């Protein structure tokens, strides 16, 4: 039967309904009414709490209270808003309405008895003795049943009447009790009475039993009331549950820290344990006397809703027996997932010598020992983190048995292990095998045999022996012989990672050895099953951005057009050539690992030029953008680059220290064969001592950089394709239709483009791409060729775009001209000017000598001092042209270029041979080298 009430609550947000009646303020999980500060809306649990009015509940409660409707009318009203068509029969509607009336009555009783608890010193003292603070007592809505006074019964009865609850109704009688004609009452209310009720003329209620009351609150509704004897005779039953005929089936107890979207939840036995866990901020559910069969459906929902489930048993024989079962076959494994982590509370000794066994005893122990709240949470967290999966505990138990008992235990253990997710089997394979007392191979054979017997796909010949989590990669097929080495190296599986952030679900995209492209939950290669990494907090946080799906195949030219249009929509660039250059750089990132070297894309400009925003917008369509700005250390940066192998976004990289590790990463990270960064890390040795081991991180890959200025190291500077930005006025952006913020439409478009580029990569990627020699430009430097040739290769071989080749060559020439201009401003340029003048200017040619120089043969050469003199003459002439007066020239000439400086520049910068002669040090004027230098300094 469809639960229309739950369907409506999934579609209608409570905060939207309440906001229409009472405007809400704030953000996040809790919102408050602007007019009534005590009215709080819990957006996660979709419930509200109005403390001043003593009112709480879900969206139906709110509508019923505001409009004066019954539940049926409220459901119809909200269903219409949600677009849900209701097809309940009258009988079904009656049952649902009865359930709502029961919850309303229980909520009223809970609030009344909560007030009674604060009024009764002895009862309140007991609650506090359990270690619960005032906030916990209030949040749990703990109550007290009172002391059998007629006044208390009368007061609660009157409260029921005020709220329109019939005090003779079954739900009210479950709390108040009844004396009189039980049989007549039962007929009037359609209840099947118990025999001893009729015989005694008495229906027991909850009031007056001197018990602590636990309201079972779920999403703002009190669905049940349970209690514990705290002041009565020790012989009296500790727990009391309401009669099923009056209150319905027993319900599990959800503590007040429980959220439907909590990552983890702890299953405990008693309500007191759940309340104690709530005080530590941990979501918990107590079985509270419900049978496992009755609890199975709720437990299934809990396991589907939360990532991690803990079962915390009492640390006594009873707790152990509940886990192991009477027959030693771990019956809970039929209800719990094999990955449920089993928690055993530490044994503690309480005041008076009593042995503690559960969470509440641990809380009391902490209070008795004076342990602070933060330290309590830390210690409880350690207990949870040290827990082990149920499957591993079952395996370890089976491994301790012998004979027939071992056979039975082993069969049960393998049955439970077979239900584990494949990735978890792979993760725990070693531990499971050791626990059972088998080798890995023996364990694999056992598991495979079980799957075969039970009709699993494990009977396939290629059933994988190992399961490996992967983020993707290249998996070449092995060569069968030497002749096939080269051919087979080019055949294999290319796997790529897909992450659906909305569904929190990973997938693999693949290209098989025959070129077929598709997606799958796993891929089997050579006896190993590769599955996508399923639980990565970095990916879940969006710190690495992946495609969401495999898009359709597009031609390269079409993708360039799509990328160019995308950038034009979301950024305003001064140079129109930049748009196309960025588009091709994005394509390059999707093939980068096929090239031996890649350039970096850099945005350079002053404050408010939008450097970071440009690179982020570009990054959203690049291959696996890695947001490294938040990296806490260089070690974490290296980890990110090594693990995710994508495009690193590196913001504000104006670093003065050239030995900074980030600069080292940039220097080597542009070349595939050199991008290995070493570091030493402390490790534990087999003998228990500590030592160090080397770890290598591969930092190769494209990078998106933002800077104000330039890198001090020319090697780093030369690896950048630089986009120079200027500040744009708001009116310029508005006229161009450029949004100042990334909109939802931007993210959707970027995601769609990533999906297209994933398909393009699967179609075009190769293990190694050799660059054509004719792509090199002989008129620019080797470094510039190195960083631009991969883009030229894509333009030539994948898009057949001759205009782009011309555009890239123009951009390359502009880069080179700027480098030459910067170089021409340095002292080395003046020395180079002096060399050219010495060889060509009649005024200086007399300084050049020619003869047989030992070790060089017959060559031309010039003394350091003469070359320095020429360089200083050139400096004088340049400064006079710039308006320098005669006095300034005299002062500067005192500190002009010295012969020693000239020699050092000639030897270390220009790399010209030098020689000591009888007349002094000379520079050998190697004509071949000088011709190369003339082009480098723009003198050719």
């Amino acid at each position: 039967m469809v639960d229309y009430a739950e369907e409506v609550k999934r579609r209608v947000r409570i905060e939207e309904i309440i906001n229409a009646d009472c405007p809400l303020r704030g953000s996040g999980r809790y919102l408050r009414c602007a007019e009534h500060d005590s009215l709080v809306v819990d957006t996660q649990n979709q419930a509200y709490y109005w403390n001043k009015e003593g009112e709480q509940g879900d969206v139906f409660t709110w509508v019923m209270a505001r409009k004066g409707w019954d539940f049926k009318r409220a459901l119809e009203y909200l269903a219409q808003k949600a677009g849900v068509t209701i097809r309940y029969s009258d009988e079904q509607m009656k049952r649902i309405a009865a359930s709502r009336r029961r919850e309303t009555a229980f909520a009223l009783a809970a609030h009344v008895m909560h007030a009674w608890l604060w009024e009764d010193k002895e009862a309140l003292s007991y609650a506090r003795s359990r270690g619960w603070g005032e906030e916990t007592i209030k949040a749990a809505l703990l109550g007290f049943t009172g002391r059998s006074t007629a006044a208390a019964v009368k007061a609660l009865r009157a409260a029921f009447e005020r709220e329109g609850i019939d005090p003779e109704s079954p739900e009210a009688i479950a709390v108040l009790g009844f004396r009189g004609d039980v049989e007549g009452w039962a007929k009037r209310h359609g209840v099947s009475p118990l025999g001893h009720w009729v015989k005694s003329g008495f229906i027991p209620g909850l009031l007056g039993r001197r018990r602590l009351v636990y309201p079972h609150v779920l999403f703002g509704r009190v669905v049940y009331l349970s209690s514990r004897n705290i002041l009565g005779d020790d012989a009296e039953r500790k727990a009391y549950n309401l009669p099923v005929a009056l209150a319905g089936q027993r319900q599990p107890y959800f503590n007040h820290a429980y959220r439907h979207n909590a990552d983890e939840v702890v299953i405990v036995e008693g309500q007191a344990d759940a309340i104690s866990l709530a005080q530590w901020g941990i979501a918990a559910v107590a079985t509270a006397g419900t049978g496992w069969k009755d609890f199975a459906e709720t437990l299934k929902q809990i396991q589907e809703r939360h990532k991690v489930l803990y079962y915390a048993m009492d640390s006594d024989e009873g707790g152990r027996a509940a886990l192991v079962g009477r027959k030693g076959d771990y019956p809970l494994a039929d209800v719990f997932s094999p990955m449920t982590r089993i928690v055993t509370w530490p044994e503690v000794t309480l005041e008076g010598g009593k042995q503690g066994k559960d969470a509440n005893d641990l809380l009391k122990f902490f209070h008795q020992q004076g342990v602070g709240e933060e330290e309590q949470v830390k210690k409880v967290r350690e207990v949870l983190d040290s827990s082990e999966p149920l499957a591993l505990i079952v395996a370890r138990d089976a491994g301790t048995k012998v004979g027939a008992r071992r056979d039975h235990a082993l069969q049960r253990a393998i049955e439970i292990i077979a239900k584990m997710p494949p990735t978890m089997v792979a993760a725990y394979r070693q531990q499971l095998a050791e626990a059972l007392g088998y080798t890995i191979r023996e364990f694999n054979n056992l598991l495979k045999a079980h799957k075969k017997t039970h009709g699993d796909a494990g009977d396939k010949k290629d059933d994988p022996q190992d399961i490996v989590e992967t983020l993707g990669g290249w998996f070449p097929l092995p060569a069968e012989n030497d002749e096939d080495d080269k051919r087979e190296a080019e055949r294999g599986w290319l796997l790529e990672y897909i992450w659906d952030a909305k569904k929190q679900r990973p997938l693999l995209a693949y290209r098989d050895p025959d070129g077929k492209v598709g997606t799958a939950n796993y891929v089997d290669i050579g006896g190993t099953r590769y599955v996508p990494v399923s639980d990565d907090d970095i990916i879940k946080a969006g710190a690495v951005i992946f495609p969401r799906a495999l898009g359709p195949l597009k031609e390269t030219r079409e993708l360039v057009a799509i990328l160019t249009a995308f950038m034009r929509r979301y950024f305003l660039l001064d140079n129109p050539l930049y748009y196309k250059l960025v588009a091709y750089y994005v394509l390059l990132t999707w093939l980068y690992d096929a090239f031996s070297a890649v350039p970096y894309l850099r945005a350079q400009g002053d404050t408010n030029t939008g450097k970071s925003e440009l690179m982020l917008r570009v990054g959203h369509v690049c291959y696996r953008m890695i947001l490294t700005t938040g990296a806490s250390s260089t070690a974490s940066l290296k980890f990110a680059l090594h693990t995710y192998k994508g495009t690193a976004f590196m913001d504000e990289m104006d670093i003065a220290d050239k030995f900074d590790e980030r600069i080292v990463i940039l220097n080597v990270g542009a070349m595939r064969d050199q991008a290995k960064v070493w570091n030493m890390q402390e490790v534990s040795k087999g003998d228990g001592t500590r030592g160090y081991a080397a770890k290598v991180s591969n930092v190769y890959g494209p990078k998106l950089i933002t800077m104000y200025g330039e890198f001090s190291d020319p090697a780093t500077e030369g690896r950048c394709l630089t986009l120079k930005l200027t500040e744009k006025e708001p009116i310029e952006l508005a006229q161009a239709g450029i949004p100042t913020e990334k909109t939802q439409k931007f993210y959707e478009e970027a995601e769609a483009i990533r999906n297209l580029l994933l398909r393009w990569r699967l179609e075009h990627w190769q293990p190694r791409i050799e660059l054509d020699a004719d792509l090199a430009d002989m008129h620019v430097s080797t470094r510039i060729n190195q960083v631009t040739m991969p883009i030229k290769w894509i333009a030539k071989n994948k898009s057949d775009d001759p205009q782009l080749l011309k555009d890239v060559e123009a951009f390359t020439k502009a880069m080179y001209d700027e480098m030459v201009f910067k170089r021409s401003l340095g002292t080395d340029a003046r020395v180079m000017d002096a060399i050219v003048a010495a060889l060509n200017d009649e005024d200086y040619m007399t300084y050049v000598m020619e003869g047989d120089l030992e070790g060089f043969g017959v060559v031309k050469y010039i003394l350091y001092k003469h070359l320095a003199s020429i360089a200083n003459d050139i400096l004088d002439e340049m400064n006079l042209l710039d308006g320098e007066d005669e006095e300034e020239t005299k002062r500067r000439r005192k500190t002009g270029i010295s012969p020693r400086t000239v020699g050092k520049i000639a030897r270390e910068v220009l790399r010209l041979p030098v020689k000591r002669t009888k007349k002094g040090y000379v520079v050998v004027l190697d004509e071949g080298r000088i011709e190369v230098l003339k082009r480098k300094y723009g003198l050719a």
Side-chain angles (χ1 to χ4, degrees):
M1 182 179 71
V2 177
D3 190 335
Y4 291 108
E6 288 303 313
E7 183 66 22
V8 166
K9 286 201 284 187
R10 274 195 291 269
R11 298 193 188 190
V12 175
R13 301 292 298 178
I14 189 172
E15 60 267 30
E16 295 175 0
I17 298 298
I18 293 180
N19 189 64
D21 298 321
C22 184
L24 300 174
R25 56 182 171 81
S27 60
R29 177 180 177 181
Y30 297 105
L31 307 178
R32 290 183 181 274
C33 176
E35 299 173 3
H36 307 285
D37 196 55
S38 67
L39 172 56
V40 179
V41 180
D42 183 342
T43 61
Q44 286 188 359
N45 283 335
Q46 288 293 286
Y48 75 95
Y49 306 87
W50 198 344
N51 297 326
K52 185 177 180 180
E53 299 297 324
E55 183 182 333
Q56 68 179 43
D58 58 10
V59 67
F60 292 103
T61 312
W62 177 267
V63 171
M64 291 164 66
R66 305 285 85 70
K67 307 235 181 229
W69 292 340
D70 62 10
F71 176 73
K72 183 175 182 295
R73 179 69 185 92
L75 176 59
E76 291 169 348
Y77 168 76
L78 291 171
Q80 185 178 20
K81 281 186 170 292
V84 174
T85 302
I86 299 176
R87 294 188 176 89
Y88 273 153
S89 67
D90 289 342
E91 184 61 32
Q92 291 169 339
M93 185 59 72
K94 286 180 182 178
R95 288 204 300 270
I96 294 171
S99 176
R100 297 292 297 194
R101 288 196 302 272
R102 184 164 58 240
E103 292 171 5
T104 301
F106 289 168
L108 177 59
H111 281 89
V112 170
M113 289 187 282
H114 179 63
W116 289 351
L117 176 65
W118 292 105
E119 294 168 0
D120 194 296
K121 293 182 180 180
E122 191 176 2
L124 183 60
S125 175
Y126 172 83
R128 286 173 170 162
S129 74
R130 303 302 295 256
W132 301 326
E134 183 173 314
E135 290 303 315
T136 295
I137 293 171
K138 288 180 179 178
L141 198 62
L142 292 177
F144 180 55
T145 59
R147 297 175 179 268
S148 300
T149 64
V153 175
K154 183 178 180 181
L156 184 53
R157 187 181 180 90
F160 280 147
E161 291 175 338
R162 282 197 306 273
E163 295 298 323
I165 299 170
D166 181 2
E168 296 292 319
S169 64
E171 52 269 17
I173 295 301
V175 179
L176 295 169
F178 179 84
R179 287 188 182 276
D181 181 6
V182 172
E183 195 167 17
W185 174 87
K187 285 182 180 180
R188 289 195 301 275
H189 294 278
V191 173
S192 298
L194 299 179
H196 67 273
W197 291 357
V198 176
K199 186 176 181 180
S200 65
F202 173 64
I203 300 175
L206 188 60
L207 292 192
R209 290 177 172 269
R210 294 179 294 178
R211 292 177 173 274
L212 192 67
V213 177
Y214 305 109
H216 293 224
V217 182
L218 184 60
F219 303 136
R221 299 290 296 174
V222 180
V223 298
Y224 194 72
L225 296 170
S226 59
S227 64
R228 185 191 193 284
N229 175 35
I230 59 173
L231 304 177
D233 190 336
D234 289 341
E236 187 178 347
R237 286 184 303 167
K238 287 186 177 180
Y240 173 77
N241 292 291
L242 303 178
V244 174
L246 306 179
Q249 294 294 332
R250 298 178 187 177
Q251 298 291 322
Y253 179 85
F254 293 79
N255 72 4
H256 56 272
Y258 180 82
R259 305 191 313 274
H260 74 284
N261 61 346
D263 284 340
E264 58 184 22
V265 65
V266 183
I267 305 294
V268 292
E269 294 181 30
Q271 300 92 315
D273 293 335
I275 293 171
S276 299
L277 283 161
Q279 186 157 300
W280 292 318
I282 299 170
V285 182
T287 57
T290 54
W292 286 114
K293 291 182 179 179
D294 297 332
F295 190 40
E297 185 58 35
T298 300
L299 182 59
K300 180 182 177 183
Q301 295 173 3
I302 290 172
Q303 292 183 106
E304 291 174 351
R305 191 180 294 149
H306 306 287
K307 296 174 185 176
V308 182
L309 188 65
Y310 297 90
Y311 173 67
M313 61 183 184
D314 291 353
S315 57
D316 58 9
E317 287 302 317
R320 172 71 180 170
L323 176 66
V324 177
R326 286 180 297 174
K327 298 179 180 179
D329 56 355
Y330 291 86
L332 295 186
D334 296 326
V335 182
F336 288 105
S337 156
M339 288 309 299
T340 299
R341 305 188 79 88
I342 305 303
V343 178
T344 302
W345 299 114
E347 294 185 4
V348 294
T349 302
L350 302 173
E351 292 178 356
K354 179 185 176 182
Q355 290 299 117
K357 63 178 182 176
D358 55 28
N360 186 236
D361 285 339
L362 183 60
L363 175 61
K364 289 190 285 187
F365 175 78
F366 285 152
H367 274 266
Q368 291 169 9
Q369 297 297 314
V371 179
E373 291 183 6
E374 290 186 9
E375 187 65 20
Q376 289 181 34
V377 173
K378 180 181 177 182
K379 289 181 179 295
V380 172
R381 185 72 257 174
E382 289 172 355
V383 172
L384 295 179
D385 291 342
S386 64
S387 62
E388 293 181 321
L390 173 60
L392 183 56
I393 289 174
V394 175
R396 188 175 290 118
D397 189 26
T400 64
K401 291 181 168 56
V402 296
R405 292 173 63 243
R406 174 178 170 79
D407 293 342
H408 174 77
L410 175 62
Q411 184 174 349
R412 179 58 170 159
I414 291 296
E415 179 183 324
I416 294 170
I417 292 168
K419 297 177 182 178
M420 294 173 67
T423 52
M424 292 296 98
V425 174
Y428 285 92
R429 191 184 303 276
Q430 183 75 36
Q431 291 171 268
L432 289 166
E434 291 177 356
L436 290 168
Y438 289 112
T439 65
I440 292 290
R441 181 177 294 277
E442 290 170 336
F443 172 79
N444 287 337
N445 289 337
L446 274 171
L447 193 57
K448 188 174 182 179
H450 174 84
K451 290 181 177 180
K452 184 176 181 180
T453 302
H454 291 80
D456 194 274
D459 58 351
K460 297 178 182 178
K461 291 183 180 179
D462 61 348
D463 183 57
Q465 295 296 309
D466 293 301
I467 299 174
V468 176
E469 286 195 316
T470 183
L471 290 167
W474 171 243
F475 302 87
L477 294 180
E480 296 181 1
N481 53 60
D482 292 342
E483 293 180 2
D484 285 345
D485 272 351
K486 182 176 180 181
R487 180 178 63 83
E488 293 295 343
E490 296 173 355
R491 297 190 73 241
W493 289 82
L494 178 63
L495 303 184
E496 284 298 325
Y497 189 83
I498 291 174
W499 175 249
D500 188 332
K502 293 181 180 178
K503 296 181 180 179
Q504 294 284 289
R505 185 175 74 94
L507 200 65
L508 287 178
Y510 65 84
R511 184 184 75 198
D512 70 14
D514 297 322
K516 180 183 176 182
V517 172
T519 60
N521 291 315
Y522 62 85
V523 174
D524 292 339
I525 305 172
T528 298
R529 174 161 292 177
Y530 292 93
V531 299
V533 170
S534 60
D535 193 11
D536 187 308
D537 290 337
I538 292 175
I539 294 174
K540 291 177 181 178
V544 182
I545 298 177
F546 292 89
R548 186 185 179 194
L550 182 61
L553 181 61
K554 299 287 185 182
E555 294 293 332
T556 305
R557 290 176 70 103
E558 187 176 356
L559 281 174
V560 171
I562 290 171
L563 286 164
T564 303
F566 175 76
M567 290 310 302
R568 286 185 180 277
R569 279 195 297 277
Y570 292 108
F571 212 88
L572 184 59
L573 297 171
D574 294 318
N575 188 339
L577 174 61
Y578 285 172
Y579 293 110
K580 208 168 191 181
L581 182 71
V582 168
Y584 270 88
Y585 188 82
V586 169
L587 288 176
L588 172 62
T589 68
W590 289 84
L591 292 183
Y592 86 91
D593 46 340
F595 295 104
S596 60
V598 291
Y600 304 145
L601 187 67
R602 175 174 63 181
Q604 189 181 65
D606 293 332
T607 305
N608 296 326
T609 55
K611 304 182 296 295
S612 300
E613 194 60 35
L614 170 61
M615 290 293 97
L616 280 173
R617 296 185 187 196
V618 173
H620 273 277
V621 289
C622 285
Y623 180 69
R624 297 185 179 184
M625 179 170 66
I626 304 169
L627 293 163
T628 66
T629 308
S632 59
S633 64
T634 308
S636 54
L637 170 60
K638 287 185 286 189
F639 167 82
L641 297 175
H642 179 82
T643 303
Y644 299 101
K645 297 178 174 59
T647 306
F649 170 70
M650 303 178 73
D651 202 19
E652 304 292 353
M653 289 301 290
D654 294 271
I655 302 170
D657 182 4
K658 69 178 182 178
F659 298 108
D660 187 294
E661 278 196 273
R662 288 169 295 173
I663 298 297
V664 175
I665 288 172
L666 288 175
N667 278 341
V668 301
M671 295 163 288
R672 181 170 59 189
D673 296 337
Q674 300 176 33
K676 309 296 190 296
V677 179
W678 289 58
N679 64 284
M680 304 299 290
Q681 60 181 16
E682 191 175 9
V683 296
S684 296
K685 296 183 178 180
D687 59 3
T689 62
R690 305 290 292 178
Y692 289 89
K695 180 180 175 65
V696 176
S697 297
N698 185 347
V699 296
Y700 176 62
K703 296 170 180 69
L704 306 174
I705 301 169
T706 72
M707 293 181 70
Y708 290 93
E710 299 174 349
F711 291 109
S712 58
D713 188 339
T716 316
E717 184 68 18
R719 291 187 171 89
C720 297
L721 297 173
T722 302
L723 309 177
K724 294 186 177 295
L725 307 183
T726 57
E727 185 176 358
K728 299 293 184 296
E729 296 299 327
I731 191 171
E732 293 180 87
L733 297 175
Q735 290 172 346
I738 307 296
T740 56
E741 301 290 337
K742 292 187 288 294
T743 61
Q744 183 61 33
K745 183 180 178 183
F746 166 86
Y747 290 109
E748 292 171 355
E749 287 188 36
E751 181 182 89
I753 292 173
R754 289 197 303 274
N755 297 344
L756 296 176
L757 289 167
L758 170 61
R759 179 62 182 271
W760 185 82
R761 172 177 167 85
L762 291 174
E763 293 288 342
H764 296 288
W765 186 88
Q766 303 170 32
R768 185 175 290 270
I769 294 175
E770 302 293 342
L771 297 174
D772 306 327
D774 61 356
L775 291 174
D777 186 342
M778 296 298 105
H779 298 93
V780 301
S781 69
T782 303
R783 177 62 51 78
I784 289 182
N785 271 316
Q786 186 185 53
V787 299
T788 57
M789 282 175 66
I791 293 179
K792 290 182 181 179
W793 185 90
I794 294 174
K796 178 181 177 182
N797 294 279
K798 295 301 174 185
S799 68
D800 189 24
D801 189 345
Q803 182 56 49
L804 177 86
L805 276 175
K806 292 180 181 178
D807 290 343
V808 173
E809 287 170 359
F811 186 81
T812 302
K813 182 65 166 57
M815 282 179 63
Y816 183 70
D817 288 345
E818 184 169 357
M819 289 176 63
V820 169
F821 174 74
K822 292 175 182 175
R823 197 178 289 123
S824 70
L825 301 177
T827 304
D828 53 330
R830 301 292 75 76
V831 175
M832 189 61 210
D833 288 338
I835 290 171
V836 173
L839 290 171
N840 298 286
D841 192 325
E842 293 182 358
D843 291 340
Y844 301 118
M845 291 173 66
T846 55
Y847 288 138
V848 177
M849 296 173 280
E850 186 173 1
D852 190 350
L853 201 61
E854 183 181 355
F856 295 95
V858 178
V859 292
K860 293 180 179 180
Y861 54 93
I862 186 171
L863 287 166
Y864 280 11
K865 63 181 181 180
H866 291 152
L867 200 54
S869 177
I870 298 171
N872 282 311
D873 284 348
I874 292 171
L875 269 175
D876 289 344
E877 185 176 348
M878 291 175 68
N879 286 304
L880 282 172
L881 291 173
D882 288 340
E884 182 180 81
D885 59 31
E886 189 173 340
E887 290 301 319
E888 287 176 320
T889 300
K890 288 179 180 179
R891 285 195 297 271
R892 181 179 49 74
R893 284 304 297 268
K894 290 180 180 180
T895 58
I897 302 174
S898 68
R900 177 175 293 181
T901 300
V902 165
K904 183 176 181 180
I905 289 172
R907 182 179 68 254
E908 297 179 2
V909 180
L910 305 180
R911 290 186 288 121
L912 288 167
V914 297
K915 178 74 176 178
R916 183 176 182 179
T917 68
K918 292 181 180 179
K919 296 181 179 180
Y921 283 97
V922 299
V923 177
V924 178
L925 302 176
D926 182 337
E927 293 184 6
R929 175 65 183 158
I930 288 171
E931 284 302 315
V932 173
L933 289 169
K934 285 167 67 176
R935 285 198 299 272
K936 182 176 181 179
Y937 285 90
L939 301 174

